[in-house]
Amino acid sequence: MRQFPSLRFAIAALLLALVTPLAAPAQAAKRVALVIGNNDYKNVPKLQKAVNDARTMGETLKQLGFSVMVAENQSRQAFSETLLAFDKTVEPGDTAFFFYAGHGFEIVGQNFLLPIDVPAATEGQEELVRDASVLADRIIERLQNRKVRTAILVFDACRNNPFERTGTRAVAGGGGLAPMTQLPEGVFSVFSAGPRQTALDRLSNNDNNPNSVFTRTFAKELLQPGENLVQVAQHTRRIVSEMAETVSHKQIPVYFDQMVDDVFLNGADKLQADAAKDSGKPAEPQQQVAGLSPAVIPRPPKEDSVNAPIAMFSRHNGGWTVVFSIVDPTLGISWRMGTAGDFRETGFLDTLDPRTRKRMPNPSVELAADAPAATIEVRYVDISGNLQGPFPIKFDPEAALIHDQRKILDMTATSWLSFREFNGLLVYYTHLMSYRCAIREVRIGIDTTVPDQVLKMPPCDMKDPSAIPYEAKPYLKLSPSNQFVSVELTYRDGSVSEIKSFRR
């Protein structure tokens, strides 16, 4: 059984329409950050490393060109005043970074950051905690109201239930925070541990590192040249989970990505960094606007007219479609695989660009299904007739496939399951099988909102990823009395979907 290509073609056409370069030229923007560390809790257990974590992150972000505010041991009033002061530094188009280390707590799917004067609540006093704490979602809303271009939120707050005390019944809740699956566009969030997991401050009593296991790793990864935010989060997750396993602890950091394009905080090209290392001289820092890929050959920008292309990869039965998004008005686009050989023109569409009054360059190219990992170099001719580039775009088939299928699953969540009555009640999960390469695990719950069963999926086939093996059974047979099925996906990147319910 194979998936019909109509959905893929429709999505590819939609992406092509969305990225047609009609945007206005990018505006100059700055980088601003607020880092908060809370150690000295008055009514719940104190922490040892949260303040150090905030200081380390502050220094790291300064190296990346951020203007940083550092706040320590915030009471509820001080927390509010700090957020207000941060609001005043943020302007439209900025890249805003928020880091919090301290106690956090989940109540009914909402995450609260606990100031140092939060009361020692007991069972039934959830409202007391809500009123005395800072809602994490509210920080996102505030940044949205300031019209930031990119909002990055990092929470090293997935510790044990701070309200547990001997002889009392604590406020309901275990360790960990709730996943942030419903993020607005332009927001990227990272949690130091996954749902229902707790984060380690240290690996053992002999671990003298001043930072938590997550922050010591994440701060180093942020400084790696040429890595986008997704790569930083993925590398951090792998390293932290491996470190936690050495002490028989499960801690897998997760991230939630609603970025339209790749975001590079350390835009220094790896080749440049390697060359500087060989010469013994420090590499010159490149302050790249978040979301724009660095060029191989550094060129001075011409009043914001030079913008590196962004690529979106879509896998279909015939191979790959690569769509380039370029902010500048363009008169022509050319590309090549690798760093040698001739550039090929992409051609033109049968439509006029209203900014140039000339035929619009075709922003897409096709690659073979078995195209290997490579660097795609892209050039374009700007409205003045000057050639810009080449700009390198990394093509990793496996990573691109996972990212593409993850986006489709998010866009088509209402199609994950379907019911059919045929010699009984059947629930089909054909849709999930078609995009299984992006999925690590599927859990379902029958007539329960808690997915408690693992749904077996066939392995991913990179040669024909959407094809469903002939021997696979893409349905379950249910009892006629069953009314609904809940579903939770764990994606290959470690993030977890919202639990969705499907009724017959």
Side-chain angles (χ1 to χ4, degrees):
M1 183 186 301
R2 293 179 182 272
Q3 183 200 19
F4 291 101
S6 57
L7 174 62
R8 301 305 297 250
F9 290 158
I11 292 174
L14 175 62
L15 290 175
L16 180 62
L18 289 176
V19 301
T20 299
L22 294 176
Q27 295 180 349
K30 62 183 186 297
R31 296 179 172 190
V32 292
L34 171 61
V35 297
I36 295 178
N38 284 344
N39 274 350
D40 297 335
Y41 285 90
K42 304 181 185 305
N43 304 306
V44 298
K46 295 180 183 293
L47 297 174
Q48 296 180 355
K49 299 187 177 183
V51 168
N52 282 340
D53 289 342
R55 293 173 180 175
T56 295
M57 283 301 302
E59 291 302 315
T60 300
L61 293 172
K62 287 177 183 177
Q63 294 181 55
L64 294 171
F66 282 83
S67 174
V68 181
M69 295 175 57
V70 180
E72 301 174 1
N73 294 320
Q74 299 283 281
S75 65
R76 182 64 179 87
Q77 181 175 342
F79 210 137
S80 296
E81 292 173 349
T82 297
L83 290 174
L84 183 61
F86 185 55
D87 286 345
K88 295 178 180 179
T89 70
V90 181
E91 297 176 337
D94 284 351
T95 294
F97 196 114
F98 176 83
F99 174 86
Y100 174 79
H103 279 308
F105 197 70
E106 173 202 350
I107 300 176
V108 195
Q110 290 186 308
N111 294 322
F112 293 86
L113 311 181
L114 307 187
I116 61 170
D117 55 354
V118 66
T122 57
E123 183 182 26
Q125 295 182 325
E126 288 80 7
E127 292 301 326
L128 193 61
V129 178
R130 282 194 178 101
D131 292 343
S133 304
V134 175
L135 179 63
D137 286 340
R138 179 60 185 142
I139 296 172
I140 297 176
E141 291 176 9
R142 296 171 77 133
L143 295 176
Q144 275 190 293
N145 292 340
R146 305 299 294 179
K147 302 186 186 307
V148 299
R149 180 186 180 188
T150 302
I152 306 162
L153 298 97
V154 181
F155 302 99
D156 193 359
C158 309
R159 294 169 168 86
N160 292 326
N161 185 342
F163 301 107
E164 290 181 343
R165 288 184 297 164
T166 303
T168 66
R169 293 182 63 85
V171 174
L177 296 177
M180 279 185 166
T181 57
Q182 300 298 314
L183 294 177
E185 184 178 300
V187 178
F188 191 95
S189 68
V190 185
F191 289 74
S192 59
R196 297 175 289 277
Q197 296 176 2
T198 55
L200 294 171
D201 260 356
R202 54 185 177 173
L203 293 172
S204 69
N205 291 334
N206 297 323
D207 183 356
N208 296 320
N209 192 296
N211 296 122
S212 71
V213 174
F214 169 81
T215 295
R216 71 180 74 167
T217 305
F218 184 68
K220 289 181 180 178
E221 287 300 317
L222 278 176
L223 295 176
Q224 293 299 318
E227 288 190 2
N228 61 34
L229 274 180
V230 171
Q231 293 169 322
V232 169
Q234 289 176 341
H235 295 163
T236 299
R237 183 185 64 237
R238 176 179 57 80
I239 295 170
V240 170
S241 63
E242 290 175 353
M243 293 172 66
E245 285 178 0
T246 64
V247 292
S248 301
H249 182 77
K250 186 173 183 179
Q251 179 183 345
I252 305 176
V254 297
Y255 68 90
F256 303 93
D257 176 13
Q258 286 299 326
M259 306 303 304
V260 175
D261 46 53
D262 287 339
V263 175
F264 295 82
L265 293 183
N266 189 356
D269 188 88
K270 286 190 175 183
L271 295 177
Q272 180 190 11
D274 291 341
K277 183 178 180 181
D278 293 339
S279 67
K281 298 178 181 179
E284 291 293 327
Q286 289 183 331
Q287 295 306 323
Q288 299 286 340
V289 177
L292 302 183
S293 171
V296 169
I297 303 173
R299 304 176 186 269
K302 300 177 181 178
E303 300 299 328
D304 297 328
S305 65
V306 179
N307 288 290
I310 296 164
M312 284 182 285
F313 300 91
S314 178
R315 182 70 156 82
H316 49 79
N317 291 341
W320 291 93
T321 296
V322 186
V323 182
F324 303 118
S325 174
I326 303 173
V327 174
D328 282 343
T330 58
L331 302 179
I333 303 172
S334 58
W335 69 288
R336 68 183 179 189
M337 293 293 287
T339 58
D342 296 332
F343 281 85
R344 289 173 281 178
E345 301 291 331
T346 62
F348 295 87
L349 303 176
D350 290 329
T351 185
L352 294 180
D353 187 332
R355 298 171 298 172
T356 64
R357 303 306 301 169
K358 298 181 183 295
R359 290 182 66 189
M360 185 175 292
N362 180 7
S364 67
V365 299
E366 299 292 324
L367 301 180
D370 58 352
T375 296
I376 302 174
E377 289 198 333
V378 182
R379 305 183 309 187
Y380 67 91
V381 179
D382 65 22
I383 196 170
S384 299
N386 297 319
L387 184 64
Q388 304 295 346
F391 300 95
I393 294 174
K394 294 180 182 178
F395 172 55
D396 180 338
E398 183 174 0
L401 174 65
I402 292 171
H403 186 268
D404 178 43
Q405 290 200 352
R406 163 69 187 272
K407 291 291 186 183
I408 292 174
L409 286 168
D410 287 342
M411 293 168 60
T412 59
T414 57
S415 302
W416 289 356
L417 298 184
S418 62
F419 290 91
R420 183 181 302 173
E421 294 193 19
F422 180 77
N423 292 332
L425 180 62
L426 305 178
V427 58
Y428 278 81
Y429 50 96
T430 311
H431 193 76
L432 295 178
M433 276 196 178
S434 296
Y435 301 108
R436 64 189 179 277
C437 291
I439 301 172
R440 178 185 297 174
E441 183 180 76
V442 180
R443 300 183 70 87
I444 65 169
I446 300 174
D447 284 347
T448 173
T449 57
V450 179
D452 53 4
Q453 302 178 37
V454 176
L455 199 59
K456 187 176 181 180
M457 304 286 283
C460 172
D461 180 4
M462 285 293 296
K463 295 181 179 178
D464 199 354
S466 296
I468 298 177
Y470 178 78
E471 67 278 5
K473 188 176 74 170
Y475 63 86
L476 291 175
K477 191 168 185 178
L478 304 181
S479 167
S481 62
N482 292 137
Q483 296 299 312
F484 72 96
V485 177
S486 59
V487 185
E488 180 184 67
L489 306 184
T490 299
Y491 295 105
R492 285 277 295 275
D493 61 19
S495 61
V496 181
S497 74
E498 180 184 6
I499 296 176
K500 299 185 180 297
S501 294
F502 297 82
R503 295 190 175 274
R504 50 185 300 190

